């Protein structure tokens, strides 16, 4: 039997399909939101009357541009650049840049849409946006990456600004790329402003920004565990990815007494049953951030197992933290996690868990946190970097980390407020979506027909 609630969601999604053909990732992100928000809107006609959700799925502006550059051999190369300026109701657009071969409009619209809710949850004045390119920094020389970044910024600089749109890093855009992008912006505009976050500390960055997404994820996990009167101490933790988010998720897992046993890249994963300790993490960071090598080299160095072309979700664990890429944990993986006793899944990456997998985790009583809540620490600390740039003062590591911890606890509280049912169970997806929605929707209504 189709319920009224379901038919309203289906009707809404039919409209999304019609207006945004062939954009599967964007549909997936909107569907997850619609499941929580359409029934909420039915009960709160003020939002229905203002047609808020239909307005929110339409980007305020999308820029698509050519990025020409020259490789070291003197060949002319070209990539496509994007910036999706999704929603500025509560502040200037804010969200990262992704350089990865699978970047397309669907991927960036999904990321920008998620970003609107995530930024709202932080309670900081930041709208949502996302951008990037199908450029692959892997295998490119530093000079090639610099020339690409300079060309990318030569177009983008006209559309961003400290009070308009403040990009940051994401997959494939780390401190090296942010440095090149910032340098070119400064040159073109002849001004030194906080137009990008994730900057190096020497030129306007915030302490703890590199650590923030991974640290924030673990602060959130500790809050989730507290609801079950548990902590991370002694728990076996699976982590995917080996980039920025994964590295600091491993570091904070160790700090909380957990045992991180896996890390991965797009070629495969390593399983280190003794745990990735601080010394091994240092090796991994050097391998990934400086030598730009493959995760297999960790297994070669420490004599543990390496699984080519596989994902880590079949390893028995207490906690799983997907920190690599969208849709990396599907229903089969969720079944393995449940079978092997996993009690908590929290997303470091954006939308790494497929809808079927989320349903399976919920059905089996696994605590599950969506990235828009659990990985919001990165953008929250970007917000703190913006504040420091504005007041031209820098806070200590301890100050920034404490602010980050408070923000993550507050996001957890908001999820509980909107996501707890009569039996005391928390649906973090529902909680995060409604809490994120309300603030943006109220601002949109107050601002009129925008
Ligand atoms: P990085 O580029 O630093 O690392 C990405 C990691 O994911 C790498 O280990 C990469 O491996 C791996 N990866 C990429 N594609 C695949 C794939 N198809 N299958 C398996 N692994 C893959 O990015 P971040 O750590 O910054 O970002 C990771 C995730 O976290 C993304 O979803 C991002 O949107 C999200 N996020 C990041 C934030 C931040 O502050 N950086 C903030 C909030 C969310 P390889 O080297 O082989 O490509």
């Amino acid at each position: 039997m189709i319920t009224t609630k379901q038919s309203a969601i289906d009707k809404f999604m039919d409209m999304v399909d019609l207006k945004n053909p062939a954009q599967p990732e964007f549909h997936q992100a909107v569907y997850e939101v619609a499941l929580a928000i359409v029934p909420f809107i039915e009960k709160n006609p003020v939002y229905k009357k203002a047609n808020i959700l239909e307005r929110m799925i339409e980007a305020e502006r999308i820029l698509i541009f050519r990025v020409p550059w020259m490789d070291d051999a003197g060949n002319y190369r070209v990539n496509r650049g994007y910036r999706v300026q999704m929603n500025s109701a509560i502040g200037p657009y804010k969200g990262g840049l992704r350089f990865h071969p699978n970047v397309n409009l669907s991927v960036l619209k999904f990321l920008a849409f998620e970003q609107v809710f995530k930024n709202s949850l932080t309670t900081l004045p930041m709208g949502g946006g996302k951008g990037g390119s199908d450029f692959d920094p892997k295998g490119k020389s530093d000079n090639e990456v610099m020339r690409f970044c300079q060309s990318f910024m030569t177009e983008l600089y006209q559309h961003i600004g400290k009070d308009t749109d403040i990009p940051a890093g994401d997959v494939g855009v780390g401190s090296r790329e942010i440095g090149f992008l910032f340098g070119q912006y400064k040159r073109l505009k002849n001004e030194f402003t906080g137009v990008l976050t994730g900057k190096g500390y020497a030129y306007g960055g915030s302490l703890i920004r590199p650590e923030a997404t991974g640290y924030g994820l673990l602060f959130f996990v500790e809050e989730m565990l507290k609801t079950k009167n548990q902590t991370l101490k002694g728990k076996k933790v699976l982590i995917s990815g080996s980039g920025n988010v994964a590295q600091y998720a491993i570091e904070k897992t160790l700090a909380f007494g957990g045992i991180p046993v896996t890390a991965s890249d797009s070629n495969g994963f390593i399983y280190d049953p003794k745990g990735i300790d601080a010394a091994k993490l240092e090796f991994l960071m050097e391998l990934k951030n400086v030598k730009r090598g493959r995760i297999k080299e960790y297994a070669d160095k420490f004599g543990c197992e390496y699984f080519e072309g596989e994902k880590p979700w079949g390893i028995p664990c207490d906690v799983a933290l997907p920190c690599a890429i969208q849709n990396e944990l599907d229903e089969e993986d969720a079944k393995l996690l449940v079978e092997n006793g996993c009690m908590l899944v929290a997303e470091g990456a954006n939308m790494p868990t497929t809808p079927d997998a989320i349903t399976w985790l919920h059905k089996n009583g696994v605590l599950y946190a969506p990235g828009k809540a659990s990985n919001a620490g990165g953008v929250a600390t970007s917000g703190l970097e913006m504040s420091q740039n504005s007041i031209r003062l820098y806070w200590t590591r301890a100050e920034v980390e404490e602010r980050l911890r408070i923000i993550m606890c507050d996001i957890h509280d908001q999820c509980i407020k909107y996501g707890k049912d009569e039996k005391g169970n928390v649906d973090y997806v529902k909680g995060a979506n409604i809490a994120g929605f309300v603030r943006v929707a109220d601002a949109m209504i107050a601002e009129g027909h925008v």
Side-chain angles (χ1 to χ4, degrees), residues 49-92:
K49 189 162 163 253
N51 220 12
I52 290 293
L53 195 54
E54 284 79 351
R55 284 159 61 189
M56 278 176 78
I57 60 163
E58 200 63 47
E60 288 177 15
R61 191 176 298 108
I62 297 180
L63 306 153
I64 302 182
F65 49 96
R66 181 203 297 164
V67 190
W69 58 284
M70 193 171 271
D71 67 22
D72 288 344
N75 299 307
Y76 287 91
R77 307 280 286 262
V78 65
N79 285 91
R80 190 173 291 170
Y82 303 84
R83 186 71 182 163
V84 178
Q85 298 181 329
M86 199 75 194
N87 195 303
S88 62
I90 61 171

Side-chain angles (χ1 to χ4, degrees), residues 1-11 39:
M1 192 188 79
I2 297 174
T3 61
T4 322
K5 181 176 112 180
Q6 189 58 42
S7 73
I9 294 169
D10 290 346
K11 217 167 118 196

Side-chain angles (χ1 to χ4, degrees), residues 98 138 170-172 209 213 242-245 266 294 324 349-350:
R98 176 176 291 193
K138 272 208 288 288
D170 189 71
V171 173
R209 176 60 189 92
T213 308
S242 50
N244 172 268
V245 179
S266 47
R294 309 309 299 159
N350 285 311

Side-chain angles (χ1 to χ4, degrees), residues 98-102 110-111 115 118 130 136 138 168-174 209-214 240-247 263-268 288-289 292-295 310-311 322-326 328 347-352 371 374-379 382:
R98 176 176 291 193
F99 293 168
H100 191 279
N102 80 5
F110 117 64
L111 289 164
Q115 197 80 45
K118 183 188 306 192
K130 202 84 188 187
D136 188 358
K138 272 208 288 288
D170 189 71
V171 173
V173 180
R209 176 60 189 92
E211 295 88 341
T213 308
S240 65
S242 50
N244 172 268
V245 179
Q247 291 170 14
S264 69
D265 61 22
S266 47
N267 293 105
K288 284 293 171 182
N289 306 345
R292 300 188 188 271
R294 309 309 299 159
I295 198 69
E310 290 187 41
K311 301 184 280 184
C323 295
I325 202 84
Q326 64 270 11
E328 57 166 312
E347 297 182 340
N350 285 311
M351 209 169 75
S374 51
N375 73 27
V379 75
S382 277

